[in-house]
Amino acid sequence: MVQRSRKSSGRERRGSGALCILLALFVSSFSPPAFAAKPLTNGQVRVYESADEGQRVHFLIERAKMGQGELVETLLQHYPLQGPHAINRTLFIQGLVLEAQGNLTEAAKNYRAALARDPSLTLVRVQLVQCLDKLGQDSSAKHHLQLLEAEAPNQDVANSIKSFMDRIDAKRPLTFSGFVAVAPSTNINAGSSHSKVYAPAFGNDAYFDINSADQKQSGIGISTGLSVGYSKRLGNHWEAVLAGDISGSLYVDKNYNSAALSQSAEMRYHLNNGYLGIGGVADQSINPNANNYLVDGLTYHSFGPRVSMLRFLGDRNRLHASAVYEWRDYANSTLLDGTALLSEASLNHGFDQTFNVTLSAGFDKVNANQKNLGYQTYFGGLGLYKELPLGLTVNVNTQARISSFDEENPFFMVTRKDQRYIGSVGLTKRDFNIYGFAPELSYTYTKNVSNIAVYDYDAHAVNLRLTKDF
């Protein structure tokens, strides 16, 4: 118990050191103050009047941190800051006054307002992290710390930022998150736009119809989900990580209601530049009201081992990889029972605190009792994250998937081959704080090209959800 306590406080000191270093780096551009930490005399007022903008800003920051908010507000009122950065600097200084007064919620609003105007303000982001940490908004604080890693001037500062994130994890080992979103229509035939599909196995002219009413059965619905995580550091290197998720979609047509659950447990061995993990995962999919054979076949459970790794490559690069081997059991279709190998790797590079890029690639191999239902898929993707003025964040993600099935489809007398292209764009309004969440509107377009017409489709989805990554 004593050793863990000492270690936790060490992480706290190193985490606080990261902020102190960053604060020192970005405050040092101001000239040192020429005033004592007491109310201004008439002579000092004259000195303030003759000071340049940088000296005034530094003086106001120092006095705000000392708790002399009334003096700071008076000076701002009588001597407003000037120049192109005046609004952001004023918002920041007023945020410091509010924070010193204990009004953390309003202080965070000021910092977010300044970042909404100019997301490159490192000093403001650092102060926002401190404020969010005090408020207990851990997910948002860690989000901004990860962005700040791209501004770290050297590896020591980058390591200090990581230590601060470790301190946040140690402070609150049990975490909760959730979402509510509009669910798009469920298309029972994956959105095929074809009205007539030929089936050669039943004769050269044999076909079946897909009328327009069958293409969109469910109507608009609501999706919601809850995630729970727990992490516990065990000594200097080992960490136990547990996670559970539940999500569901509710539609007017109850046949398309669904629920999904997942659980994972992992032991991680931490190294200086990342970790190695080994554990297990389990998933369940439930369609309690389904009476359609196409939907019933999706109710299943799976389980299997998982390995993962995270490696920091320099100050701005992060490599993550994972692989899962699972056994799948479908409740209403033994033809789909089998195994699956799911593997993926991603490389994230931060250009600066406002912009990062993620490259991903992977391979899936699914085996089924009915061979023509098994397949292998290769995929690659590109993701872009960019914070813009006006409080907007843009997330763009693209992915291409090439799939080849194991055997000839008996109805269409050809081995199925698909190419799927997925693109999505999301907009987050960072300065709209709704009980610790920000609204995110996203649009996703999917195009599937197959050599079997029934699997040719276009799909569109628009979702409105709330996020803590802002």
Side-chain angles (χ1 to χ4, degrees), residues 348-349 351 354-359 381-387 393-398 424-426 440:
N348 178 272
H349 175 75
F351 288 91
T354 71
F355 180 48
N356 63 67
V357 175
T358 301
L359 295 173
L382 172 67
L384 304 175
Y385 173 97
K386 178 62 178 177
E387 291 188 355
T393 296
V394 179
N395 268 300
V396 178
N397 291 282
T398 63
S424 68
V425 57
E440 179 186 45

Side-chain angles (χ1 to χ4, degrees), residues 183-202:
S185 295
T186 295
N187 300 353
I188 63 171
N189 61 348
S192 174
S193 58
H194 297 278
S195 60
K196 181 182 295 186
V197 177
Y198 288 88
F202 299 99

Side-chain angles (χ1 to χ4, degrees), residues 5 16 93 107 117 128 160 200 305 338 380 394 401 412 445 449 456 460:
S5 176
S16 299
I93 292 168
R117 294 173 55 84
L128 175 61
S160 295
V394 179
R401 304 177 66 91
F412 304 102
Y445 174 71
V449 180
D456 262 345
H460 306 264

Side-chain angles (χ1 to χ4, degrees), residues 310-380:
L310 174 67
R311 183 178 178 85
F312 296 100
L313 306 174
D315 299 339
R316 302 188 176 191
N317 300 304
R318 179 183 309 207
L319 176 65
H320 184 268
S322 66
V324 176
Y325 186 86
E326 62 183 27
W327 288 267
R328 294 180 171 182
D329 181 14
Y330 287 79
N332 302 299
S333 178
T334 58
L335 298 178
L336 293 167
D337 291 350
T339 61
L341 171 65
L342 313 173
S343 59
E344 183 174 10
S346 63
L347 176 65
N348 178 272
H349 175 75
F351 288 91
D352 57 44
Q353 63 180 296
T354 71
F355 180 48
N356 63 67
V357 175
T358 301
L359 295 173
S360 61
F363 171 75
D364 295 344
K365 180 66 180 83
V366 176
N367 300 304
N369 285 343
Q370 184 165 311
K371 297 299 183 181
N372 67 285
L373 298 177
Y375 60 89
Q376 48 277 329
T377 297
Y378 297 89
F379 61 90

